């Protein structure tokens, strides 16, 4: 008879592990909250939310509902983009009095395309402690499921709403080799996708991650040339928050080869293959042996 040797799930042991870390007073705790599924809250986040004296949040209504879902009740401090400087001063006063304060946004990690950075900066400038609790992030979640083979990524967040400003930003990103991560609202997704195609061309891959961790989660990858047609296939695709990831610019190896050949063609008219390759290596930064082979090929084609 087969026996199940798997260890049984033991939530009590996990909570003991949570308590083994120190949670000092006079500290601002940056608490990531779920981006969709309410089960995506960490045990440490729940523990800290039970310890703090108050929770600074983007929208008190949303956070009140979230806290109630977990059976938690704490005083809430409205901390949104229009009052961050004012609220930062109040939070600093409370921290200096020895309180613990949690900072949350409506979804995901605070201060990342969400309010919070001004508060964190002010608290740090006051010489007080800031402690982050890792958790949900729409950008990282989408990137992990993208399959784009790139060790680098560049987080852009939301593009400007005005077309001219948006296009200017995209032009500045066109040559960046890292994967580009954007957030976008559903009512702008079609227009922004068209702008991406115009700025980056048809061939780059784009990943659409919609409603991550929610009931109608959808992740699709295609070329920018195919993106508009995919969006138009289903009217529901113009609903829900999006993360868009665009493949980075080519490293221009083909362009580099063309430049190397251009330099060699000039030098070969006056120098030997060996001399031309050596000088071209200094000019272009390419390896001399590789340039020597290219120069030989060019000479052979001339013959």
């Amino acid at each position: 008879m087969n026996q199940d040797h798997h260890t049984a799930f033991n939530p009590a042991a996990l909570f003991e592990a949570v308590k083994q870390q120190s949670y000092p007073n006079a500290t601002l705790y940056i608490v990531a909250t779920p981006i969709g599924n309410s089960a995506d809250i960490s045990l440490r986040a729940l523990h800290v939310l039970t310890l703090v004296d108050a929770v600074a949040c983007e929208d008190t209504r949303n956070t009140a509902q979230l806290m109630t879902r977990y059976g938690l009740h704490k005083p809430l401090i409205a901390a949104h983009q229009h009052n961050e400087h004012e609220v930062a001063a109040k939070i600093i006063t409370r921290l200096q009095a020895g309180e613990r304060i949690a900072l949350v946004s409506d979804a995901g990690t605070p201060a990342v395309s969400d309010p919070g950075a001004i508060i964190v900066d002010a608290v740090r400038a006051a010489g007080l402690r800031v402690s982050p609790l890792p958790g949900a992030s729409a950008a990282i979640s989408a990137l992990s499921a993208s399959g784009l083979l790139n060790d680098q990524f560049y987080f852009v967040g939301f593009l400007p709403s005005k077309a001219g400003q948006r296009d200017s930003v995209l032009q500045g990103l066109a040559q960046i080799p890292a994967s580009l991560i954007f957030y976008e609202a559903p009512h702008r997704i079609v227009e922004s996708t068209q702008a991406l195609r115009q700025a980056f061309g048809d061939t780059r891959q784009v990943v659409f991650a919609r409603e991550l961790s929610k009931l109608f989660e959808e992740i699709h990858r295609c070329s920018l040339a195919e993106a508009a047609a995919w969006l138009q296939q289903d009217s529901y695709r113009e609903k829900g928050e999006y993360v868009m990831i665009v493949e980075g610019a080519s490293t221009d190896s083909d362009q580099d080869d063309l430049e190397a050949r251009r330099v060699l063609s000039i030098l070969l008219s006056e120098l030997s293959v060996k001399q031309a390759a050596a000088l071209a290596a200094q000019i272009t930064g390419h390896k001399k042996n590789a340039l020597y082979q290219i120069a030989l090929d060019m000479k052979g084609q001339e013959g």
Side-chain angles (χ1 to χ4, degrees):
M1 179 182 291
N2 291 331
Q3 292 185 348
D4 187 354
H5 295 289
H6 292 293
T7 303
F9 175 61
N10 186 352
L14 291 175
F15 274 107
E16 280 304 312
V18 166
K19 295 176 183 178
Q20 287 174 8
Q21 184 157 349
S22 173
Y23 300 95
N25 296 333
T27 299
L28 178 68
Y29 292 92
I30 313 302
V31 181
T33 55
I35 57 175
N37 193 310
S38 60
D40 292 337
I41 186 84
S42 75
L43 294 179
R44 287 186 64 220
L46 292 174
H47 181 63
V48 164
L49 289 173
T50 66
L51 293 178
V52 296
D53 297 284
V55 178
C57 54
E58 185 177 359
D59 188 317
T60 55
R61 295 165 299 181
N62 290 341
T63 300
Q65 290 178 2
L66 184 71
M67 298 281 283
T68 300
R69 196 169 296 143
Y70 303 126
L72 301 173
H73 302 279
K74 293 287 179 176
L76 302 179
I77 305 167
H80 46 76
Q81 61 180 340
H82 302 297
N83 72 348
E84 275 196 83
H85 289 285
E86 175 189 346
V87 171
K90 295 179 179 178
I91 289 174
I92 288 170
T93 299
R94 296 184 67 163
L95 292 173
Q96 288 171 334
E99 292 190 12
R100 300 183 184 99
I101 305 291
L103 174 66
V104 304
S105 63
D106 283 349
T109 303
V112 181
S113 273
D114 270 331
I118 290 172
I119 293 171
V120 172
D121 181 53
V123 169
R124 293 187 65 83
L128 294 160
R129 180 168 176 166
V130 177
S131 180
L133 277 70
S137 166
I140 299 302
S141 298
L143 186 64
S144 71
S146 71
L148 293 175
L149 304 179
N150 194 335
D151 291 335
Q152 299 179 332
F153 65 90
Y154 186 108
F155 179 72
V156 182
F158 287 98
L159 288 166
S161 57
K162 294 184 178 179
Q165 294 176 351
R166 179 195 61 212
D167 294 343
S168 178
V169 169
L170 290 176
Q171 288 301 320
L173 299 170
Q175 299 305 317
I176 292 178
S179 299
L180 304 172
I181 304 178
F182 302 90
Y183 286 165
E184 194 50 276
H187 66 278
R188 300 197 318 177
I189 190 66
V190 172
E191 183 181 352
S192 291
T193 299
Q194 293 170 343
L196 289 171
R197 182 180 182 183
Q198 184 175 355
F200 301 145
D202 289 347
T203 59
R204 287 208 213 178
Q205 294 284 296
V206 59
V207 176
F208 293 99
R210 185 176 74 90
E211 295 288 84
L212 286 173
S213 81
K214 299 177 184 176
L215 182 60
F216 298 107
E217 175 182 278
E218 188 171 21
I219 301 174
H220 178 75
R221 177 172 156 180
C222 61
S223 69
L224 280 170
E226 300 165 323
W230 179 79
L231 287 170
Q232 292 168 3
Q233 284 174 4
D234 188 340
S235 61
Y236 280 101
R237 287 177 183 155
E238 292 187 45
K239 299 178 181 179
E241 297 297 322
Y242 271 90
V243 180
M244 294 188 295
I245 307 177
V246 179
E247 182 182 18
S250 166
T251 54
D252 294 329
S253 58
D254 292 339
Q255 196 68 35
D256 287 347
D257 286 345
L258 288 173
E259 176 65 10
R261 287 178 178 274
R262 187 187 72 82
V263 171
L264 280 171
S265 67
I266 296 170
L267 297 176
L268 284 170
S269 64
E270 302 290 339
L271 303 172
S272 69
V273 169
K274 184 176 181 180
Q275 290 172 320
L279 187 53
Q282 295 180 34
I283 294 171
T284 65
H286 284 50
K287 292 183 178 180
K288 183 170 66 175
N289 289 344
L291 291 171
Y292 183 77
Q293 289 300 321
I294 294 173
L296 284 177
D297 291 342
M298 292 172 70
K299 275 293 187 181
Q301 291 168 7
E302 289 176 9

